[in-house]
Amino acid sequence: MSMGTRFRELHKKGDPLMMPNAWDIGSAKILEALGAKAIATSSAAHAFTLGRPDMGTVTRDESLAHAQDLVAAVNVPVSGDFENGFGDDPEAVAETVRLAGEVGLAGCCIEDTILPSIDAYDFELSVERIKAGASAARALDNDFMFCARADGIMNGVYDCDEAIRRLQAFEAAGADLLYAPLPKSFSDLERICNSVNAPVNILLAGDYRNNSIDDFKRIGAARISLGSVLARTIHHTIVDTTRKLIAHDYSALLKTADGDEIDALLTQSAK
């Protein structure tokens, strides 16, 4: 069974896959050792490792090389967060999907944001871009889970009705998985899940961290991802601890991961 087929079978409505996002080889190996059945890259978290801010600061070549490193490091499916596909036209999206398959990814997601701005591509172009990506995914030698994102709610450029309109069109264009990060309310999230037949991914961030797994099961979610949340948690610790250290408060150093445990996890996941 290919990684892509294995990945697809993990997506079950009402029994969502928890898919954490890694930012380097070490984090990917630890996530796998702790029981993650699949992992994803995070464009924001990857950018942070390069000393760059989020939103369109990492190139396609850099993103693919990073993803390939994670694929080589673990024995679970890996999905790539490839922002807007590293280009505006449908051909750029298709090429990104083709290259994603070549480096061994089990899937990837493409959003409708005109990076580095937060504006969205117009409806027709957004659909053509997803159609091109889906076609490229189907042409790959191995199964590949192609996810289409409608990011306008999260970015504040369109409402839930427009997100649903786009997701329904993305599904008709051939997307395997649909994703509209951070709707304004849980009822809107439920509307989104009920508006399409394809499986839906949920971003566990913002107020959604207050919901339970049973909530997500009830509305039929098929996948839960973390985006850059884990990486931002690490960076929060860096910022908070360093501020205390500079002020000669060493109390934060009492809470550290056990080195032997980390070594064991890294060894356990050795590919």
Side-chain angles (χ1 to χ4, degrees):
M1 180 186 298
S2 72
M3 279 293 184
T5 300
R6 182 173 161 190
F7 190 42
R8 187 180 297 277
E9 291 184 353
L10 290 171
H11 292 77
K12 301 172 184 176
K13 291 185 178 183
D15 184 18
L17 164 69
M18 174 58 74
M19 185 180 71
N21 300 67
W23 55 91
D24 61 11
I25 292 171
S27 60
K29 294 177 75 170
I30 288 171
L31 293 174
E32 179 191 19
L34 289 170
K37 296 180 181 178
I39 64 172
T41 67
S42 161
S43 59
H46 181 210
F48 299 159
T49 69
L50 300 173
R52 303 173 196 169
D54 189 15
M55 299 292 283
T57 61
V58 181
T59 68
R60 178 163 60 190
D61 286 347
E62 288 172 326
S63 296
L64 287 165
H66 169 64
Q68 190 170 29
D69 285 343
L70 301 195
V71 169
V74 298
N75 291 294
V76 296
V78 180
S79 182
D81 173 5
F82 289 150
E83 299 186 295
N84 69 342
F86 308 103
D88 297 325
D89 57 85
E91 291 75 18
V93 174
E95 178 68 0
T96 294
V97 172
R98 184 184 68 78
L99 292 170
E102 286 186 1
V103 302
L105 287 168
C108 77
C109 60
I110 299 292
E111 64 194 55
D112 60 352
T113 308
I114 310 172
L115 295 174
S117 77
I118 61 170
D119 295 330
Y121 294 106
D122 67 46
F123 179 82
E124 289 76 15
L125 178 56
S126 294
V127 175
E128 286 303 310
R129 284 164 40 83
I130 296 306
K131 184 177 180 180
S135 179
R138 298 293 78 79
L140 294 171
D141 291 337
N142 293 313
D143 196 6
F144 189 89
M145 195 85 171
F146 179 61
C147 175
R149 290 177 50 157
D151 278 26
I153 298 176
M154 180 174 67
N155 293 332
V157 298
Y158 55 69
D159 61 13
C160 186
D161 288 340
E162 176 62 16
I164 288 173
R165 177 183 177 230
R166 289 178 179 238
L167 293 178
Q168 289 175 337
F170 294 166
E171 180 177 19
D176 301 301
L177 183 78
L178 302 167
Y179 183 13
L182 301 182
K184 299 303 181 185
S185 68
F186 193 84
S187 61
D188 280 347
L189 180 61
E190 185 171 12
R191 282 183 62 208
I192 287 170
C193 289
N194 290 332
S195 71
V196 293
N197 294 313
V200 173
N201 182 89
I202 290 171
L203 177 62
L204 191 62
D207 291 342
Y208 290 101
R209 289 173 289 190
N210 298 319
N211 289 104
S212 69
I213 185 62
D214 288 336
D215 292 331
F216 298 128
K217 286 181 176 180
R218 178 177 60 79
I219 64 173
R223 189 170 85 190
I224 300 170
S225 61
L226 302 182
S228 61
V229 169
L230 282 180
R232 291 181 190 275
T233 300
I234 296 297
H235 281 81
H236 170 76
T237 300
I238 293 171
V239 171
D240 184 60
T241 301
T242 303
R243 282 176 173 161
K244 289 178 179 178
L245 288 173
I246 290 173
H248 305 293
D249 175 358
Y250 309 141
S251 60
L253 296 180
L254 298 175
K255 299 178 180 180
T256 61
D258 180 82
D260 290 340
E261 180 184 16
I262 298 301
D263 289 345
L265 288 170
L266 292 171
T267 302
Q268 176 183 333
S269 67
K271 188 168 181 178

